[in-house]
Amino acid sequence: MFRILSLMLCLSSPVLADVEGTVRVVDGDTLDVSGQRVRLHGIDAPETEQTCEDAQGRVWPCGAFVREEVARRYQGQRATCREVEQDRYGRSVAKCFVDGRDIGEALVSDGWARAYREYSMDYDLAEKTAQVLGLGLWASSMQEPSAYRADQRVPTPDTAAPDANCIIKGNISGSGRIYHMPHNRDYANTRINEASGERWFCSEAEARAAGWRAARN
């Protein structure tokens, strides 16, 4: 009986897997490692579109800067990622190491990411040290990334669908005609300007038939 219960528990739990390979940086706390999307465990970096305010009150693009800093350090490097869990979308959440150094710990220690205490206390001390020393983003004023994301989800006239059954966003950009589903990374930040030809769709089939292609993220 004990063996049967153990087997059932194993089958009902997600199988954690490690991944190793070349890094492509997606944003300040998300990597592609050998083509697999990995969210760094226990840290939260500013969103790419997020801004900060320096000691002189000047606004600067801290989110884009952090992404570039992470890319400068790790793009093209070989990483080993040890999966801690999977998020609700089935994506890997892992601790990743380059040359034996924990990427998440390095970013928090240098002040370029926050310890994500809602999910882990692993980097609590590293963050407190960076804050005391005024390193990285601690030299500026920054809204917590989680609070920033929550603010972006508040509907505005150009982000709220006019029809509750037609919530797919058909956006036109330099990349062409792309439609965004609610689970896509840039959905919340995508604005629809119908005067320029952008539109809402009720289904993916409708979007594809009109000449739009699916967002990749």
Side-chain angles (χ1 to χ4, degrees):
M1 176 64 74
F2 178 76
R3 290 182 178 178
I4 294 174
L5 288 174
S6 297
L7 179 60
M8 291 176 65
L9 287 173
C10 289
L11 292 175
S12 63
S13 301
V15 177
L16 301 182
D18 295 346
V19 60
E20 182 175 352
T22 303
V23 171
R24 182 180 73 83
V25 173
V26 178
D27 58 31
D29 51 31
T30 309
L31 312 174
D32 271 351
V33 181
S34 287
Q36 181 172 326
R37 185 61 52 89
V38 176
R39 175 74 161 76
L40 292 175
H41 171 72
I43 77 169
D44 201 12
E47 297 299 312
T48 304
E49 301 301 320
Q50 194 168 345
T51 59
C52 295
E53 189 173 301
D54 67 16
Q56 287 72 46
R58 295 171 298 198
V59 175
W60 64 287
C62 57
F65 180 90
V66 168
R67 185 203 174 281
E68 292 305 312
E69 175 64 16
V70 177
R72 183 186 68 79
R73 295 184 182 200
Y74 302 113
Q75 184 88 355
Q77 297 287 326
R78 188 166 187 83
T80 299
C81 297
R82 298 171 185 166
E83 189 169 75
V84 176
E85 60 181 344
Q86 293 181 354
D87 66 15
R88 58 181 175 174
Y89 303 112
R91 294 174 299 194
S92 179
V93 180
K95 285 191 173 187
C96 294
F97 300 81
V98 169
D99 295 330
R101 179 78 191 276
D102 183 342
I103 295 176
E105 181 181 37
L107 294 177
V108 174
S109 294
D110 293 341
W112 299 121
R114 299 285 171 85
Y116 210 169
R117 294 181 180 85
E118 180 180 347
Y119 296 99
S120 173
M121 295 296 290
D122 287 358
Y123 307 121
D124 175 68
L125 182 58
E127 181 190 278
K128 289 175 178 175
T129 302
Q131 183 177 11
V132 168
L133 297 175
L135 300 179
L137 296 171
W138 291 108
S140 294
S141 174
M142 183 186 77
Q143 183 181 25
E144 288 293 333
S146 57
Y148 174 84
R149 290 191 294 271
D151 286 349
Q152 301 308 302
R153 289 194 288 269
V154 176
T156 59
D158 59 352
T159 61
D163 185 333
N165 295 313
C166 303
I167 60 174
I168 300 174
K169 295 180 177 182
N171 176 248
I172 301 175
S173 68
S175 300
R177 296 172 180 259
I178 300 173
Y179 67 84
H180 298 263
M181 302 286 287
H183 64 269
N184 290 135
R185 184 187 65 194
D186 296 324
Y187 182 86
N189 295 326
T190 299
R191 304 291 192 264
I192 298 302
N193 182 356
E194 294 182 302
S196 68
E198 296 177 333
R199 52 184 291 194
W200 297 88
F201 294 104
C202 302
S203 69
E204 289 192 81
E206 179 188 4
R208 289 193 294 267
W212 266 257
R213 63 177 176 83
R216 292 174 181 168
N217 296 310

